[in-house]
Amino acid sequence: MDAFIGEDIQFLPRPEGRIAYTVEGSGPLVVAVPGMGDLRSSYREIVPPLVAAGYRVAVTDLRGHGASDTTFHTHGDVATGEDIIALIDELGGPAVVLGNSMGGSAAAWAAAERADAVIGLVLYDPFLREPARPAVARIAMSLLFRLALAPLWGGAFWAGYYRSINRGTHAAWLEEHVSDLRGSLREPGRLRSLRDLALQLDHSVVEERLGEVDAPFRVFFGAEDPDFSDPSAEAAWIDSIGGETQLVPDAGHYPHAQRPDITVPATLEFLGRIRTGHQAWAHA
C-alpha cells in the first residue's frame, strides 16, 4: 500500500497524539503533506523522482489519518501547520513543503509562522482563503458533513466524493487508492477524525497570514477541479499576491497524482532554483 515510500513508519510525538511519517533519501529536506481524507500514498508519483534527484523526502499522514493516532481532538490548518513545523525541527530543517488541498493551506500557514523553517512551498490545489459563503450556507455545509460522514455510510460517501474530484485524467492506481481509503476509514476512530477535521476547517486563518509568507511558492491548479468555481480565477488571485501558478489541463483536485508528467518536472525545476539560491539548504 505504502511500499513506494518505504515501510519504516516513524512517529512524531505531539501533545494530543502521534503523527506518522516516513523518510526516504538524503540531501535537502522536503516535507510532503496530503489533503483532507487522504493518505501518504497520494504522493507515490512525486517521492521517487525527488529521492532520485538528491532530496530527503518526508511524507506525513494528517492527524487521525493513515497511520497517525486517532486521539487528536484539534484539527485544521493551524494544527497541521504546527505539526509541519515540529517535523521539520525534528528532522533538521529548513525544508521546502509540498501540500495538497488543506495540506497546502497548512503549509502556507507554517511558512508565515516560521520563515526560518519553511523556505519554499509547492502547493497542489490549495485553499489559501475561505470561500465566500453566506452564514446559512456555512451552517448547511456543517450539517451536510455531519450527515454524509456518519458511521454507516461515511466511508462510501468519501470514496465517491474523492473519485468525483479526480475529474479529468485518472491515475492508473486511483481505484486501488480509493480502496485503501475505504479500508483506512473502517479502522476505529478514522471516520470520526475525518468528520472532526471537516467541521473544524476554516481557511480564513491562512488568508490573514499570507502577507507574512516570504518563501517563494509554486502553485498548481487542476483546470477541471470542481472544488473551485473558477480555478483560473483562483490562480490569477494567487499570482496577484506573489505566487507562481500553473493551470494543469485535464486534471481535477489532485494534479500531482493525475498529471505527474507536468507536475513532477515543474516541481523539480522549482526545487532546483531554491537549491541554487539557498546554500545552507543545498548542502544539508
Side-chain angles (χ1 to χ4, degrees), residues 8-64:
D8 183 17
I9 299 175
Q10 302 180 58
F11 293 95
L12 175 72
R14 301 292 292 142
E16 296 180 4
R18 302 175 305 161
I19 297 296
Y21 68 95
T22 55
V23 183
E24 268 204 278
S26 60
L29 179 63
V30 177
V31 174
V33 187
M36 182 177 81
D38 215 342
L39 303 171
R40 297 188 319 280
S41 48
S42 63
Y43 280 102
R44 69 181 70 190
E45 301 286 356
I46 296 281
V47 173
L50 266 61
V51 170
Y55 296 97
R56 178 170 51 127
V57 186
V59 189
T60 75
D61 279 318
L62 296 176
R63 295 180 172 208

Side-chain angles (χ1 to χ4, degrees), residues 44 60 64 91 95 97 100 103 110 113 204 208 211 227 243 249 255-256 269:
R44 69 181 70 190
T60 75
L91 296 177
V97 182
N100 169 235
E113 183 73 6
S204 65
E208 65 192 21
D227 262 359
H256 58 303
E269 187 275 332

Side-chain angles (χ1 to χ4, degrees), residues 140-221:
M141 185 66 70
S142 176
L143 291 173
L144 173 63
F145 276 127
R146 290 181 187 277
L147 177 63
L149 296 174
L152 288 178
W153 53 75
F157 165 80
W158 187 254
Y161 177 72
Y162 191 91
R163 284 192 192 93
S164 75
I165 57 178
N166 270 272
R167 190 172 293 175
T169 298
H170 286 175
W173 41 267
L174 175 61
E175 288 307 314
E176 174 194 352
H177 189 66
V178 170
S179 177
D180 290 344
L181 288 172
R182 291 196 68 172
S184 178
L185 289 173
R186 292 188 192 102
E187 296 174 5
R190 298 282 176 221
L191 190 60
R192 173 189 52 76
S193 296
L194 173 57
R195 184 171 61 249
D196 289 350
L197 171 57
L199 293 172
Q200 291 179 40
L201 268 183
D202 176 5
H203 301 304
S204 65
V205 298
V206 176
E207 184 177 4
E208 65 192 21
R209 301 290 304 274
L210 289 177
E212 301 172 59
V213 175
D214 293 326
F217 56 107
R218 186 85 158 87
V219 183
F220 299 91
F221 278 103

Side-chain angles (χ1 to χ4, degrees), residues 129 221-223 225-236 247:
R129 56 181 174 177
F221 278 103
D225 187 354
D227 262 359
F228 294 92
S229 59
D230 187 344
S232 62
E234 196 70 10
L247 279 177

